[in-house]
Amino acid sequence: MEYVDMYLVHWPMSVKPTKPHYPMKREDIMPMDLRGVWQAMEECHQLGLAKMIGVSNFTTKKLQELLAFAKIRPAVNQVELNPVWQQKKLMEFCKAKGIHVTAYFPLGGRHSTSTVNPVLDSDVLKEIAAAKGKSVAQISLRWIYEQGASMVTTSTKRERLKENIDIFDWQLSDEDRLKISQIPQHKTRRVVGG
Ligand SMILES: NC(=O)c1ccc[n+]([C@@H]2O[C@H](COP(=O)([O-])OP(=O)(O)OC[C@H]3O[C@@H](n4cnc5c(N)ncnc54)[C@H](OP(=O)(O)O)[C@@H]3O)[C@@H](O)[C@H]2O)c1
């Protein structure tokens, strides 16, 4: 491969160079040389190795820090985003700065430690899905799309892959959007330990 279309900084943090382990231990997490990392990302872009460069898991505070010295703005911020973790402040900030948001865990995520998936088991989403003749997954994905975000989702099942892409020729109503905006918010799960 001579270049990648998109290259992201996965987390705004560094870990000690230890044997990879997951979840990470708090004592192994170190402050990140954000300026140095971003300059190296910009160099990747300038050399034609990455057509676009971006970040992931960046808060508004971290983005502000980055934008203060970035010669090239991040094209994308990939973050957890779904109807139970709507990230309203971050969404507004990214929109104002021209940073596209990509949602991960759009369906609440795989390998959840809990038996309840707060997205797929949401009563509000189930009610909207039943009234529209859609699946709960489709309601969540459509809501994300209507926020102006893209999404990365996975399924091991062919039928679900088809279902998940079938969200472009219908829309949520104002009433649906209002109900979704009132869903109590919580992160679906902690990605980093410690
Ligand atoms: N940037 C980051 O820090 C970060 C962090 C975490 C994840 N990610 C990325 O985000 C992407 C998505 O992560 P994810 O797959 O864990 O989250 P997800 O898309 O929210 O959840 C996928 C889960 O939902 C199920 N599913 C898919 N379609 C469904 C449908 N129509 N109805 C019911 N269940 C459905 C799948 O099960 P089946 O396989 O059984 O269908 C799978 O267990 C991945 O590419 C991952 O690498 C990025």
Side-chain angles (χ1 to χ4, degrees):
M1 196 185 286
E2 287 172 9
Y3 66 87
V4 293
D5 291 320
M6 176 82 76
Y7 190 33
L8 305 182
V9 178
H10 197 171
W11 287 94
M13 63 177 201
S14 294
V15 284
K16 286 181 191 158
T18 57
K19 199 173 153 202
H21 55 269
Y22 190 82
M24 287 164 240
K25 291 188 196 134
R26 184 174 284 275
E27 60 267 26
D28 287 340
I29 298 173
M30 308 186 312
M32 178 189 186
D33 172 15
L34 189 55
R35 187 186 286 261
V37 167
W38 194 249
Q39 279 169 352
M41 295 292 285
E42 289 175 333
E43 198 181 337
C44 283
H45 174 71
Q46 277 146 8
L47 292 170
L49 300 173
K51 297 280 176 200
M52 287 182 160
I53 51 174
V55 295
S56 181
N57 297 297
F58 271 49
T59 58
T60 51
K61 202 170 152 216
K62 276 287 161 201
L63 285 172
Q64 268 165 337
E65 213 181 297
L66 176 62
L67 292 175
F69 54 73
K71 291 196 186 86
I72 303 172
R73 284 173 175 229
V76 165
N77 186 18
Q78 185 185 119
V79 294
E80 179 174 341
L81 175 72
N82 56 49
V84 306
W85 192 239
Q86 301 184 9
Q87 307 250 42
K88 286 182 184 159
K89 198 175 133 216
L90 181 68
M91 291 298 286
E92 275 169 29
F93 182 86
C94 287
K95 193 174 175 193
K97 301 292 178 189
I99 301 170
H100 178 77
V101 173
T102 298
Y104 73 72
F105 291 167
L107 305 177
R110 168 178 298 279
H111 306 310
S112 178
T113 44
S114 156
T115 48
V116 177
N117 177 321
V119 176
L120 296 179
D121 296 324
S122 157
D123 288 338
V124 174
L125 298 184
K126 280 182 187 170
E127 189 190 305
I128 296 170
K132 286 202 132 45
K134 303 289 177 191
S135 71
V136 174
Q138 285 175 314
I139 299 298
S140 183
L141 297 173
R142 177 72 204 185
W143 177 84
I144 292 167
Y145 176 64
E146 290 187 9
Q147 304 309 299
S150 53
M151 63 217 76
V152 277
T153 185
T154 63
S155 176
T156 51
K157 298 173 181 67
R158 187 179 292 271
E159 280 315 305
R160 284 181 175 173
L161 291 172
K162 278 193 208 158
E163 176 187 316
N164 293 351
I165 210 158
D166 186 14
I167 59 162
F168 298 110
D169 59 354
W170 53 277
Q171 57 185 18
L172 297 169
S173 66
D174 289 343
E175 200 187 337
D176 298 334
R177 287 188 206 107
L178 181 65
K179 283 186 193 158
I180 293 174
S181 74
Q182 292 164 346
I183 291 177
Q185 296 294 292
H186 59 97
K187 243 173 162 317
T188 53
R189 65 192 170 103
R190 288 176 66 101
V191 175
V192 182

